Amino acid sequence: MLAAMPDSAPSPVSPGGVPPRAGGDACPGTLRLHRADDGALARVRVPGGVLTADQADALLAAAARFGDGELHLTSRGNVQLRGLGTECGGELAGLLSAAGLLPSAAHERARNIVASPLAGLDGSPVLRTWLTGLDRLVCGSPAAAALSGRFLFALDDGRGDVDALGADVTLIAEGPDVLLRIGGADEVFRLPPASDAPRAALLAAEAFLRAARDSGAWRVKDLPDDVRTALPGEVARAVGAAVTAPVHRPRPRKPAAPAPGAHGSTAATSTAISVDVPLGRLVPGQWRLLTETARRYGGELRLTPWRGVVLPGPFGRGQDEAAEALRTLDAAGLITGPGSPWTGVGACIGRPGCAKALADVRAEAGAAVGPAGRLPVYWSGCERRCGHPHGEWIDVVVTPDGHRISHVRGERRDPPTAVTVGNDPAALAAAVAAARA
């Protein structure tokens, strides 16, 4: 019952087998709903962002039956359903279980796995074996059920896109070898070609849990300094003698989302198309169109950590089919090319969905769109900055007196500029455009 807790609570079928640490892990799931101002919220984990067309249909059906009908993409390639009724937990879980989206009740919030969205589509290594193997191992590990809803695995095909996200455990394909990075550190372990990479990732996560037992940390970066420094040694011992000593390999600092448009184009085919979703919000018609397009071609959707969707092909007849599909998706309001004014614009849910937000930042972001800026911009309704991007970006935060705009470069933040604009959205838009330029 949602009324039992101020922030979130398990649904009637929540397993309850993993006791919360001090303060509790309030990350929502499908069995532990979060109470927001616009109703309950469910976050459906989609490992690697990979959905079949039938699973996409099931998510749309759940949104229509239990919520407000819309689907929201997260910065981890998951899907949120909003406006849910407080008593829908059991029926929602049943629908998602039947679609294969809830393989383990005890692990449903631990299945946070991002993967390079274009893996295997452009000559890069195929990560599907890693993805299915890691998800299976996580769901089969009693210890992994204690991972928080914030803990993140990343599977990178070597291009550095999801490696740049600073996940807690990252596997990187490098030729026949595999690199293992812990907590976004600038050192990696090298695993031999014959190693079981998904098992190494699970063992690293279990080593983190042992290290975090006394501190209550939810992520590697939250560990006390001495514990975090000792963690690589613990991971090496857990993974076994096959792992090398750590070697220096700095993590990429600029995440590279797939550019909207066609990918892998040749004279005969395009292997995929990519679209971005304005503010990560998909109305039923847009979701249905994406699903129908996927079913017509490759049968799969890949949700990206940048609130976009990749549809693998092949799209035949030269590039005609890809171009036709992109035109249709563009007409539906999705971002299909770099010139869209929505390119790089993100925002938290803001008012009226969040009680902590000080403004309707989505409306403000919409009023401020203009020519695409050099830098992405993210609008936050409060200091929590839920869902903010990584790398370099312009941070716009609502304050009681107006807005604060700052330039973020990885872990560094320039001195902010306070903008007090009253009811003048044009002045705010001009200030944000100047910062992005």
Side-chain angles (χ1 to χ4, degrees), residues 156-383:
D156 194 292
D157 65 0
R159 75 183 72 229
D161 52 357
V162 296
D163 185 17
L165 298 179
D168 298 283
V169 176
T170 302
L171 294 175
I172 307 161
E174 188 178 76
D177 295 331
V178 180
L179 305 180
L180 174 65
R181 191 187 304 279
I182 306 300
D186 283 340
E187 288 73 37
V188 297
F189 296 106
R190 187 178 298 276
L191 306 178
S195 63
D196 186 341
R199 183 165 295 280
L202 174 66
L203 292 172
E206 292 177 342
F208 159 78
L209 285 171
R210 291 191 293 273
R213 187 174 294 129
D214 294 331
S215 68
W218 296 118
R219 301 197 62 187
V220 170
K221 66 181 182 180
D222 301 326
L223 290 168
D225 290 344
D226 59 334
V227 178
R228 188 172 62 252
T229 300
L231 182 60
E234 296 297 324
V235 169
R237 284 187 284 275
V239 173
V243 71
T244 67
V247 296
H248 188 68
R249 177 175 168 143
R251 174 172 60 90
R253 302 304 179 189
K254 292 185 178 181
H263 289 265
S265 298
T266 68
T269 188
S270 293
T271 58
I273 59 175
S274 174
V275 298
D276 291 335
V277 179
L279 303 181
R281 170 180 171 268
L282 287 155
V283 298
Q286 292 171 321
W287 185 267
R288 192 175 297 111
L289 177 60
L290 285 164
T291 304
E292 291 171 352
T293 305
R295 185 171 276 115
R296 189 177 307 120
Y297 298 103
E300 178 179 285
L301 302 88
R302 298 185 183 184
L303 313 180
T304 80
W306 302 279
R307 297 181 174 88
V309 183
V310 169
L311 302 177
F315 296 83
R317 299 201 320 267
Q319 299 179 30
D320 291 347
E321 286 188 350
E324 180 181 349
L326 287 167
R327 282 193 295 270
T328 303
L329 294 166
D330 181 79
L334 299 172
I335 302 169
T336 61
S340 168
W342 283 104
T343 299
V345 178
C348 72
I349 197 65
R351 285 183 175 175
C354 176
K356 292 183 171 62
L358 301 177
D360 183 350
V361 287
R362 295 196 163 207
E364 291 183 336
V369 294
R374 182 181 70 85
L375 293 173
V377 58
Y378 195 81
W379 297 70
S380 298
C382 72
E383 297 287 353

